Amino acid sequence: MTSPFFEHIDHLGIAVANLAEAEARYTAMFGVEPYKREEVEREGVVTSFFQVGPNKIELLEATRPDSAIAKHIEKRGEGLHHVAYLVKDIRAEMARLREEGFQLLSEEPKPGADGMLVAFVHPKTAGGVLVELCQPKS
Ligand code: ZN
């Protein structure tokens, strides 16, 4: 049996202090360069994406001190920031999860990096893991 709601893990998000250094480190690890670098102004981050088989790895560097990534690095240092799952209908999933008692960080999905609509589930209600739901913008 597989999840009837989540398609698969789309990507892992990793908070980094210096994107250029992290890109070099992960390029050495994966043997491939990132396929995309993209700033998400609203979230105060610049992101870089690697393709690893069917999955993606997203590196995130803060562009402002008030961004969630800056706060994460201040509190916990660099490392795993979120796990992102691809869903078919992000609004329906947000409603379903709310119904199940999960706390969503926004009322509506927001435009994220890599052509996605995204929404986050608070780690307090998800076993300490920040969960991202994502659906390609149509
Ligand atoms: Zn992400």
Side-chain angles (χ1 to χ4, degrees):
M1 290 277 279
T2 185
S3 169
F5 302 113
F6 290 9
E7 302 279 294
H8 59 251
I9 293 176
D10 182 78
H11 63 271
L12 303 179
I14 299 172
V16 304
N18 181 309
L19 192 61
E21 276 176 28
E23 279 175 342
R25 197 179 320 130
Y26 282 95
T27 295
M29 179 180 283
F30 299 139
V32 67
E33 305 223 329
Y35 66 86
K36 174 187 281 194
R37 196 190 243 214
E38 186 182 348
E39 184 166 353
V40 185
E41 172 65 43
R42 179 212 297 256
E43 302 296 330
V45 295
V46 55
T47 65
S48 184
F49 282 88
F50 289 86
Q51 187 73 45
V52 181
N55 306 115
K56 294 176 283 185
I57 301 295
E58 174 186 34
L59 306 179
L60 305 109
E61 182 194 45
T63 55
R64 307 191 291 263
D66 67 339
S67 101
I69 295 301
K71 287 174 193 157
H72 178 96
I73 293 217
E74 204 181 288
K75 273 195 219 155
R76 302 191 216 172
E78 291 187 294
L80 190 61
H81 180 256
H82 62 268
V83 178
Y85 297 92
L86 190 74
V87 297
K88 277 202 192 104
D89 182 342
I90 195 166
R91 285 183 175 83
E93 279 311 299
M94 290 172 77
R96 185 183 68 83
L97 291 172
R98 248 185 233 115
E99 194 79 351
E100 293 285 353
F102 293 95
Q103 185 190 336
L104 280 291
L105 294 187
S106 63
E107 284 301 311
E108 285 290 312
K110 297 193 259 183
D114 208 27
M116 294 285 193
L117 281 176
V118 301
F120 290 92
V121 180
H122 198 295
K124 253 193 286 185
T125 60
V129 177
L130 177 61
V131 171
E132 176 183 329
L133 308 176
C134 60
Q135 175 189 352
K137 276 181 232 164
S138 46

